[in-house]
Amino acid sequence: MAEEILKVEHLNKFYGDWQALHDINFDLQKGEVVTLLGPSGSGKSTLIRTLNGLEPFKDGNIYFKGEKVEPTPKEWQKLRQQIGMVFQSYDLFPNLTVLDNILLAPTKVQKRDREEVKKEAMALLERVDLADQANSYPRQLSGGQKQRIAIVRALAMHPELMLFDEVTASLDPEMVRGVLEIIKELADRDHMTMIIVTHEMNFAAQIADRVLFLEDGKLLEDTPGKQFFEHPQTARAAEFLSSMEF
Amino acid sequence: MDWTIIQQSLPNFVQGFKLTLWLSLVGIVGSIIVGIITSLVQYFRVPVLKQILNVYVEVARNTPLLIQLFFLYYAFPVMGIKMTAETCGIIGLIFLGGAYMAEGFTGGFNGVSQNQLDAGEALGMNQFQLARYVVLPQGLSLSVPALAANIIFLIKETSIFSVIAIPELTNTALDLIGMYYRSNEYLFVLVVAYAIILIPVILLLDWLERRVRYGAFGN
């Protein structure tokens, strides 16, 4: 039986009086790729940010590898070392070179040996075709390059789970493909467990083992990927899919 | 303008010049240290200490240095604390400058975007690591313009030390004018002396500002 990486139970989140997430329930097995779809403002980003504690939640439970998460800063700091996250705006550290961006957390947070991490970082950079940029600064790179580096920076921590929050949304169209190919390869070759928020429907259809469809903070569907794109269960999801076609 | 008068006064002015430089240097270094500590405490909302330092910043920024110096120089001895005029001057300057520097650094630290903090947190950093590797390097480079303005302000502010008889540049000039009634000459030397200190400082700070501007570029 597959190992359970994540389980979310009755998760509710409020911004003041406004409820952003309503009673969210789902689980995630090791090696599974789940895409989080839904219209703007449906709570996709809020949900994915809640899963590594960047957003606090009011009630409900999150279990990581079978253990209940105590939502304290200390506990999250520990867990985040196993949950990699990549953001829409890359957010590399502008004062550090590409290599130092990658080495910072493994050496300072995980206290791993610098030389060992460096070897690994160079191998990862090689894999995303950016080994020649190891000593560049983020400002010298294109958006697509920066996002590939951000993925490498997260992978260097040896995460058990990767979260991707609209990672291609601010890229020029011709840069999108390179980033998506890397994520696809992570799924196919490394069997990385991933949750992906995206608006790239073709990509989602290709990569998703399961689709979670959100609207107004409610989880309307939790459907196997192929089935979601061919026969969505809810009318709302069908409407959403047809609105994305062009 | 009588050049021999100027020439004869030069040794006095050199003494004052050295003292102004020394007091400025100590005052600026002290202010930067107090300022960084104060603004870090405020930034990370350290309980109690933060409230105390908030009061300090407001008191220091909303009272004139002149009054702060009078207080240190005339009121403290009444309470049994006696200090030399120079010590009073340096303490006063750091008291004032620390508050201004704290505001400048706070501006820089607040300029570090929430996205950068999220990125650091998502990598598992704790508060200390976040401060050390994200907030400080980026925030300090963003504070350089404010830092530069404060440094120049503090150097000029040393002229107020003349009122508690510290023989720095302004006090030297006022003394000489009092003795020899040659305001034109002595004020001329005074202005030139401040320019000799400030112009290189301004050029240096401009250069520094250009050097550290990476914070403003893409990430």
Side-chain angles (χ1 to χ4, degrees):
Chain A
M1 194 190 132
E3 186 192 343
E4 180 187 272
I5 294 288
L6 192 74
K7 187 158 98 175
V8 175
E9 264 181 4
H10 304 299
L11 189 74
N12 285 296
K13 172 163 178 64
F14 291 82
Y15 290 110
D17 286 337
W18 186 70
Q19 190 164 6
L21 295 175
H22 296 260
D23 192 33
I24 304 286
N25 294 281
F26 71 94
D27 56 41
L28 185 65
Q29 306 299 317
K30 193 172 173 65
E32 249 189 323
V33 178
V34 163
T35 60
L36 214 50
L37 304 181
S40 295
S42 58
K44 306 182 297 285
S45 285
T46 304
L47 177 55
I48 203 171
R49 286 169 61 85
T50 308
L51 299 180
N52 74 346
L54 287 182
E55 296 285 341
F57 56 94
K58 180 151 183 292
D59 50 43
N61 291 313
I62 295 177
Y63 298 83
F64 185 72
K65 296 208 284 185
E67 281 187 43
K68 189 172 163 225
V69 177
E70 291 304 324
T72 61
K74 256 211 153 61
E75 173 91 355
W76 277 124
Q77 278 153 26
K78 237 170 47 206
L79 286 179
R80 286 181 191 128
Q81 295 176 34
Q82 303 172 65
I83 306 178
M85 184 157 191
V86 184
F87 301 89
Q88 176 176 344
S89 47
Y90 339 122
D91 303 312
L92 299 178
F93 302 122
N95 53 318
L96 301 179
T97 62
V98 164
L99 190 60
D100 286 334
N101 260 281
I102 301 168
L103 297 187
L104 182 62
T107 56
K108 303 298 182 188
V109 177
Q110 295 180 322
K111 320 263 184 227
R112 279 153 58 195
D113 176 59
R114 192 180 162 89
E115 285 310 308
E116 170 223 310
V117 185
K118 193 171 163 184
K119 242 186 249 160
E120 198 184 308
M122 288 312 296
L124 284 166
L125 283 173
E126 198 78 53
R127 203 172 143 180
V128 301
D129 282 330
L130 288 170
D132 54 334
Q133 301 288 357
N135 295 314
S136 304
Y137 282 88
R139 63 174 176 273
Q140 298 165 306
L141 305 177
S142 72
Q145 290 174 321
K146 282 189 259 198
Q147 199 57 296
R148 276 139 70 194
I149 304 292
I151 294 173
V152 168
R153 181 173 70 173
L155 289 177
M157 299 284 285
H158 298 159
E160 297 261 0
L161 166 65
M162 284 285 288
L163 308 173
F164 293 89
D165 188 8
E166 305 208 30
V167 294
T168 57
S170 44
L171 296 181
D172 292 333
E174 74 267 27
M175 307 281 184
V176 170
R177 193 186 175 86
V179 172
L180 295 185
E181 270 168 3
I182 289 167
I183 301 175
K184 187 88 173 52
E185 200 189 81
L186 277 177
D188 296 344
R189 209 178 95 180
D190 306 65
H191 309 292
M192 177 66 77
T193 316
M194 300 191 272
I195 300 181
I196 303 170
V197 174
T198 184
H199 284 121
E200 302 285 336
M201 287 303 132
N202 289 331
F203 170 68
Q206 274 185 51
I207 200 170
D209 296 319
R210 263 163 62 214
V211 174
L212 303 183
F213 181 73
L214 246 80
E215 190 178 53
D216 296 332
K218 298 185 187 88
L219 189 56
L220 297 189
E221 286 208 29
D222 181 347
T223 315
K226 200 165 145 57
Q227 190 187 337
F228 178 84
F229 286 98
E230 287 168 7
H231 309 287
Q233 293 169 340
T234 59
R236 190 59 197 93
E239 200 182 312
F240 172 75
L241 282 175
S242 69
S243 76
M244 301 299 280
E245 278 166 23
F246 187 71
Chain B
M1 195 79 92
D2 187 336
W3 295 100
T4 51
I5 302 256
I6 288 178
Q7 215 168 15
Q8 283 162 1
S9 72
L10 280 184
N12 289 348
F13 273 108
V14 168
Q15 286 303 314
F17 186 88
K18 284 183 189 160
L19 194 55
T20 291
L21 264 188
W22 170 243
L23 295 172
S24 301
L25 187 71
V26 176
I28 288 164
V29 171
S31 300
I32 289 175
I33 294 169
V34 171
I36 287 186
I37 293 171
T38 304
S39 85
L40 278 177
V41 165
Q42 291 176 326
Y43 185 84
F44 287 103
R45 302 196 179 86
V46 182
V48 188
L49 217 54
K50 174 186 182 261
Q51 277 77 19
I52 295 171
L53 289 176
N54 280 353
V55 172
Y56 152 64
V57 169
E58 289 312 313
V59 170
R61 292 202 320 149
N62 293 311
T63 50
L65 180 59
L66 184 66
I67 310 303
Q68 294 167 7
L69 289 181
F70 280 161
F71 200 78
L72 286 166
Y73 194 61
Y74 295 113
F76 268 45
V78 178
M79 298 185 271
I81 303 166
K82 281 208 172 98
M83 293 175 288
T84 63
E86 282 179 27
T87 310
C88 286
I90 285 172
I91 291 176
L93 196 64
I94 292 175
F95 183 77
L96 178 83
Y100 273 89
M101 290 292 184
E103 290 291 287
F105 288 128
T106 298
F109 295 160
N110 287 337
V112 178
S113 73
Q114 186 60 44
N115 287 346
Q116 285 287 310
L117 300 178
D118 285 352
E121 284 201 83
L123 289 165
M125 290 186 196
N126 59 32
Q127 288 291 79
F128 175 78
Q129 290 161 336
L130 215 53
R132 166 74 183 76
Y133 301 113
V134 181
V135 178
L136 274 175
Q138 295 184 42
L140 288 180
S141 91
L142 292 172
S143 345
V144 167
L147 181 82
N150 286 338
I151 286 175
I152 291 159
F153 163 73
L154 289 177
I155 293 173
K156 292 192 289 193
E157 209 68 348
T158 58
S159 60
I160 293 182
F161 293 168
S162 57
V163 298
I164 53 170
I166 297 175
E168 45 66 68
L169 276 173
T170 303
N171 184 270
T172 305
L174 295 178
D175 244 18
L176 288 168
I177 292 168
M179 282 191 286
Y180 303 111
Y181 301 106
R182 304 297 298 234
S183 347
N184 286 354
E185 285 82 357
Y186 298 137
L187 288 177
F188 173 75
V189 180
L190 183 62
V191 168
V192 171
Y194 276 115
I196 290 173
I197 296 177
L198 282 161
I199 289 170
V201 170
I202 288 169
L203 292 176
L204 189 76
L205 290 170
D206 276 352
W207 172 83
L208 184 69
E209 262 180 65
R210 282 196 305 274
R211 273 302 302 272
V212 301
R213 216 170 270 167
Y214 61 70
F217 285 102
N219 44 33

Coordinates of all heavy atoms in Angstrom, one line a residue, chain A residues 49 52 54 77 80-81 83 85 87 89-95 104-105 108-109 111 139 146 153 157, chain B residues 113-127 129 133-134 137-138 214-215 217-219:
Chain A
R49 N -0.8 27.5 0.2 CA 0.1 28.2 1.2 C -0.2 27.7 2.7 O 0.6 27.8 3.5 CB -0.1 29.7 1.1 CG 0.5 30.3 -0.1 CD 0.1 31.7 -0.4 NE 0.4 32.6 0.8 CZ 1.6 33.2 0.9 NH1 2.6 33.0 0.0 NH2 1.8 33.9 2.0
N52 N 1.9 24.5 3.9 CA 3.3 24.6 4.5 C 3.3 25.7 5.6 O 4.4 26.2 5.9 CB 4.4 24.7 3.5 CG 4.4 26.1 2.9 OD1 3.5 26.9 3.0 ND2 5.5 26.4 2.2
L54 N 2.4 28.8 5.6 CA 2.6 30.3 5.3 C 1.3 31.0 5.6 O 1.3 32.2 5.8 CB 3.0 30.5 3.8 CG 4.4 30.0 3.4 CD1 4.7 30.3 2.0 CD2 5.4 30.8 4.3
Q77 N 8.7 25.2 10.9 CA 10.0 25.4 10.4 C 10.7 24.0 10.1 O 11.4 23.8 9.2 CB 10.9 26.1 11.5 CG 10.7 27.6 11.4 CD 11.0 28.3 12.7 OE1 11.7 27.8 13.6 NE2 10.4 29.5 12.9
R80 N 8.8 22.4 7.0 CA 9.1 23.1 5.7 C 10.4 22.6 5.0 O 10.6 22.7 3.9 CB 9.2 24.6 5.9 CG 7.8 25.2 6.1 CD 7.9 26.7 6.2 NE 6.7 27.3 6.7 CZ 6.6 28.2 7.7 NH1 7.7 28.4 8.4 NH2 5.5 28.7 8.1
Q81 N 11.3 22.0 5.9 CA 12.5 21.4 5.3 C 12.2 20.2 4.5 O 13.0 19.8 3.7 CB 13.5 21.1 6.4 CG 13.9 22.3 7.2 CD 14.8 21.9 8.4 OE1 15.6 21.0 8.3 NE2 14.7 22.7 9.4
I83 N 9.0 20.1 2.8 CA 8.0 20.5 1.9 C 8.6 21.6 1.1 O 8.7 22.7 1.5 CB 6.7 21.0 2.6 CG1 6.3 19.9 3.6 CG2 5.7 21.3 1.6 CD1 5.0 20.3 4.4
M85 N 8.7 24.6 -1.8 CA 7.6 25.4 -2.4 C 8.3 26.3 -3.5 O 9.3 26.9 -3.3 CB 6.9 26.2 -1.4 CG 5.7 27.0 -2.0 SD 4.5 27.4 -0.8 CE 3.2 28.0 -1.8
F87 N 7.2 29.6 -6.0 CA 6.2 30.6 -6.1 C 6.1 31.2 -7.5 O 7.0 31.1 -8.3 CB 6.6 31.8 -5.2 CG 6.7 31.4 -3.7 CD1 8.0 31.0 -3.2 CD2 5.7 31.5 -2.9 CE1 8.1 30.6 -1.9 CE2 5.8 31.1 -1.5 CZ 7.0 30.7 -1.1
S89 N 6.4 34.3 -8.3 CA 7.3 35.4 -8.6 C 8.8 35.0 -8.3 O 9.6 35.8 -8.0 CB 7.0 36.6 -7.7 OG 6.7 36.2 -6.4
Y90 N 9.1 33.7 -8.4 CA 10.4 33.1 -8.3 C 11.0 33.3 -6.9 O 11.4 32.4 -6.2 CB 11.4 33.6 -9.3 CG 10.9 34.1 -10.6 CD1 11.2 35.4 -11.0 CD2 10.0 33.4 -11.4 CE1 10.6 36.0 -12.2 CE2 9.4 33.9 -12.5 CZ 9.8 35.2 -12.9 OH 9.2 35.7 -14.0
D91 N 11.2 34.6 -6.5 CA 11.7 35.0 -5.2 C 13.0 34.4 -4.9 O 13.3 33.9 -3.7 CB 10.6 34.6 -4.1 CG 9.3 35.3 -4.4 OD1 9.3 36.5 -4.7 OD2 8.3 34.6 -4.4
L92 N 13.9 34.4 -5.8 CA 15.3 34.1 -5.5 C 15.8 35.3 -4.7 O 15.3 36.4 -4.7 CB 16.2 34.0 -6.8 CG 15.7 32.9 -7.8 CD1 16.6 32.9 -9.0 CD2 15.8 31.5 -7.1
F93 N 16.9 35.0 -3.9 CA 17.5 36.1 -3.1 C 18.4 37.0 -4.0 O 19.4 36.5 -4.5 CB 18.2 35.6 -1.9 CG 17.4 34.7 -1.0 CD1 17.7 33.4 -0.8 CD2 16.2 35.2 -0.5 CE1 16.8 32.6 0.0 CE2 15.3 34.4 0.3 CZ 15.7 33.1 0.5
P94 N 18.1 38.3 -4.2 CA 18.8 39.1 -5.2 C 20.2 39.3 -4.9 O 21.0 39.7 -5.7 CB 18.0 40.4 -5.3 CG 17.3 40.4 -4.0 CD 17.0 39.0 -3.5
N95 N 20.6 39.2 -3.6 CA 21.9 39.5 -3.2 C 22.9 38.3 -3.3 O 24.1 38.5 -3.0 CB 21.9 40.1 -1.7 CG 21.2 39.2 -0.8 OD1 20.2 38.6 -1.1 ND2 21.8 39.0 0.4
L104 N 22.2 28.0 0.3 CA 21.9 28.7 1.6 C 21.1 27.8 2.6 O 21.6 27.6 3.7 CB 21.1 30.0 1.3 CG 20.7 30.8 2.6 CD1 22.0 31.3 3.3 CD2 19.9 32.0 2.2
A105 N 19.9 27.4 2.2 CA 19.1 26.6 3.2 C 19.7 25.2 3.5 O 19.8 24.9 4.7 CB 17.7 26.5 2.7
K108 N 22.7 26.2 5.9 CA 22.5 26.9 7.1 C 21.3 26.4 7.9 O 21.3 26.4 9.1 CB 22.2 28.4 6.8 CG 23.3 29.1 6.0 CD 24.6 29.1 6.8 CE 25.7 29.8 6.0 NZ 27.0 29.7 6.6
V109 N 20.3 25.9 7.2 CA 19.1 25.4 7.9 C 19.3 23.9 8.2 O 19.1 23.5 9.3 CB 17.8 25.6 7.1 CG1 16.6 25.0 7.8 CG2 17.6 27.1 6.8
K111 N 22.1 22.3 7.9 CA 23.5 22.2 8.4 C 24.3 21.0 7.7 O 25.0 20.3 8.3 CB 23.6 21.9 9.9 CG 22.6 22.7 10.7 CD 23.3 24.0 11.3 CE 22.3 24.7 12.2 NZ 22.4 26.2 11.9
R139 N 19.4 38.9 -11.2 CA 19.0 40.0 -12.1 C 19.6 39.7 -13.5 O 19.1 40.4 -14.4 CB 19.6 41.3 -11.5 CG 21.1 41.4 -11.4 CD 21.5 42.8 -11.0 NE 22.9 42.9 -10.9 CZ 23.6 42.6 -9.7 NH1 22.9 42.2 -8.7 NH2 24.9 42.6 -9.6
K146 N 15.1 31.9 -13.9 CA 14.9 32.1 -12.5 C 14.0 31.1 -11.9 O 14.3 30.5 -10.8 CB 14.4 33.5 -12.2 CG 15.5 34.6 -12.3 CD 14.9 35.9 -11.8 CE 14.5 36.8 -13.0 NZ 14.4 38.2 -12.6
R153 N 16.4 25.2 -6.1 CA 16.7 25.6 -4.8 C 15.8 24.8 -3.8 O 16.2 24.4 -2.7 CB 16.3 27.1 -4.6 CG 16.5 27.6 -3.2 CD 16.4 29.1 -3.2 NE 15.0 29.5 -3.4 CZ 14.6 30.8 -3.2 NH1 15.4 31.7 -2.9 NH2 13.3 31.1 -3.4
M157 N 16.8 20.7 -1.0 CA 16.5 20.4 0.4 C 16.0 18.9 0.6 O 15.7 18.5 1.7 CB 15.3 21.3 0.9 CG 15.6 22.8 0.9 SD 16.7 23.3 2.2 CE 15.6 23.3 3.6
Chain B
S113 N 10.5 42.6 0.6 CA 9.1 42.2 0.3 C 8.6 41.0 1.1 O 9.5 40.1 1.4 CB 9.0 42.0 -1.2 OG 9.6 40.8 -1.5
Q114 N 7.3 40.9 1.2 CA 6.7 39.7 1.9 C 7.1 38.5 1.1 O 7.3 37.4 1.7 CB 5.2 39.9 2.0 CG 4.5 38.8 2.7 CD 4.9 38.7 4.2 OE1 5.1 39.7 4.8 NE2 5.2 37.5 4.6
N115 N 7.2 38.6 -0.2 CA 7.6 37.4 -1.0 C 8.9 36.9 -0.7 O 9.1 35.7 -0.6 CB 7.6 37.8 -2.5 CG 6.2 38.0 -3.1 OD1 5.2 37.6 -2.4 ND2 6.1 38.6 -4.3
Q116 N 9.9 37.8 -0.4 CA 11.2 37.3 0.0 C 11.1 36.6 1.4 O 11.8 35.6 1.6 CB 12.2 38.5 0.1 CG 12.6 39.0 -1.2 CD 13.6 38.1 -1.9 OE1 14.6 37.7 -1.3 NE2 13.3 37.7 -3.2
L117 N 10.3 37.1 2.3 CA 10.2 36.5 3.6 C 9.5 35.1 3.4 O 9.9 34.1 4.1 CB 9.3 37.4 4.5 CG 9.9 38.8 4.8 CD1 9.0 39.5 5.7 CD2 11.3 38.7 5.4
D118 N 8.5 35.0 2.6 CA 7.8 33.8 2.3 C 8.8 32.7 1.8 O 8.9 31.6 2.2 CB 6.7 33.9 1.3 CG 5.5 34.6 1.9 OD1 5.4 34.8 3.1 OD2 4.6 34.9 1.1
A119 N 9.7 33.2 0.8 CA 10.7 32.3 0.2 C 11.6 31.8 1.3 O 11.9 30.6 1.4 CB 11.4 33.0 -0.9
G120 N 12.1 32.6 2.2 CA 13.0 32.2 3.3 C 12.2 31.2 4.2 O 12.8 30.2 4.6
E121 N 11.0 31.6 4.6 CA 10.3 30.7 5.5 C 10.0 29.4 4.8 O 10.1 28.3 5.5 CB 8.9 31.4 5.9 CG 9.1 32.5 6.9 CD 7.8 32.7 7.6 OE1 7.5 32.0 8.6 OE2 7.0 33.6 7.2
A122 N 9.7 29.4 3.5 CA 9.4 28.1 2.8 C 10.6 27.2 2.8 O 10.5 26.0 2.6 CB 8.9 28.4 1.4
L123 N 11.8 27.8 3.0 CA 13.0 26.9 3.0 C 13.3 26.5 4.4 O 14.4 25.9 4.7 CB 14.2 27.7 2.4 CG 14.1 28.0 0.9 CD1 15.1 29.0 0.5 CD2 14.4 26.7 0.2
G124 N 12.4 26.8 5.4 CA 12.6 26.2 6.7 C 13.4 27.2 7.7 O 13.8 26.7 8.7
M125 N 13.6 28.4 7.2 CA 14.4 29.3 8.1 C 13.6 29.7 9.3 O 12.4 29.9 9.3 CB 14.8 30.6 7.3 CG 15.8 30.4 6.2 SD 16.2 31.9 5.5 CE 17.0 31.4 4.0
N126 N 14.3 29.8 10.5 CA 13.7 30.3 11.7 C 13.9 31.9 11.7 O 14.5 32.4 10.8 CB 14.3 29.7 12.9 CG 15.8 29.9 13.1 OD1 16.3 30.9 12.7 ND2 16.5 28.9 13.7
Q127 N 13.3 32.5 12.7 CA 13.3 34.0 12.7 C 14.8 34.5 12.6 O 15.0 35.5 11.9 CB 12.7 34.5 14.0 CG 11.2 34.4 14.1 CD 10.5 35.3 13.2 OE1 10.4 35.0 12.0 NE2 10.0 36.4 13.7
Q129 N 17.5 33.1 11.4 CA 18.1 32.8 10.0 C 17.4 33.8 9.0 O 18.1 34.3 8.1 CB 17.9 31.4 9.6 CG 18.7 30.4 10.4 CD 18.2 29.0 10.4 OE1 17.0 28.7 10.1 NE2 19.1 28.1 10.6
Y133 N 19.9 36.1 7.0 CA 20.2 35.8 5.5 C 19.3 36.6 4.6 O 19.5 36.6 3.4 CB 20.1 34.3 5.3 CG 21.1 33.6 6.1 CD1 20.7 32.7 7.2 CD2 22.5 33.7 5.9 CE1 21.6 32.0 7.9 CE2 23.4 33.1 6.7 CZ 23.0 32.2 7.7 OH 23.9 31.5 8.5
V134 N 18.1 37.1 5.1 CA 17.2 37.7 4.1 C 17.0 39.2 4.5 O 17.3 40.1 3.7 CB 15.8 37.0 4.1 CG1 14.9 37.7 3.1 CG2 16.0 35.5 3.7
P137 N 20.7 41.5 4.9 CA 21.4 41.9 3.7 C 20.6 42.8 2.8 O 21.1 43.8 2.2 CB 21.8 40.6 3.1 CG 21.0 39.6 3.8 CD 20.7 40.1 5.1
Q138 N 19.3 42.5 2.6 CA 18.5 43.2 1.7 C 18.1 44.6 2.3 O 18.1 45.6 1.6 CB 17.3 42.4 1.2 CG 17.7 41.2 0.4 CD 16.5 40.5 -0.1 OE1 15.5 41.1 -0.6 NE2 16.5 39.2 0.0
Y214 N 21.7 46.6 -5.8 CA 21.2 45.4 -6.3 C 19.8 45.1 -5.7 O 19.0 44.5 -6.4 CB 22.1 44.2 -6.0 CG 22.3 43.9 -4.6 CD1 21.3 43.4 -3.8 CD2 23.6 44.1 -4.0 CE1 21.6 43.2 -2.4 CE2 23.8 43.9 -2.7 CZ 22.8 43.4 -1.9 OH 23.0 43.1 -0.6
G215 N 19.6 45.6 -4.5 CA 18.3 45.3 -3.8 C 17.1 45.8 -4.7 O 16.0 45.2 -4.6
F217 N 16.8 45.6 -7.9 CA 16.6 44.8 -9.2 C 15.8 43.6 -8.9 O 15.5 43.2 -7.8 CB 18.0 44.5 -9.8 CG 18.6 45.7 -10.5 CD1 19.6 46.4 -9.8 CD2 18.1 46.2 -11.7 CE1 20.1 47.5 -10.4 CE2 18.6 47.3 -12.3 CZ 19.7 48.0 -11.6
G218 N 15.6 42.8 -10.0 CA 14.7 41.7 -10.0 C 15.3 40.5 -9.2 O 16.5 40.5 -8.9
N219 N 14.4 39.7 -8.7 CA 14.8 38.5 -8.0 C 14.2 37.3 -8.6 O 13.9 36.3 -8.0 CB 14.4 38.7 -6.5 CG 13.0 39.2 -6.4 OD1 12.1 38.9 -7.2 ND2 12.7 39.9 -5.4

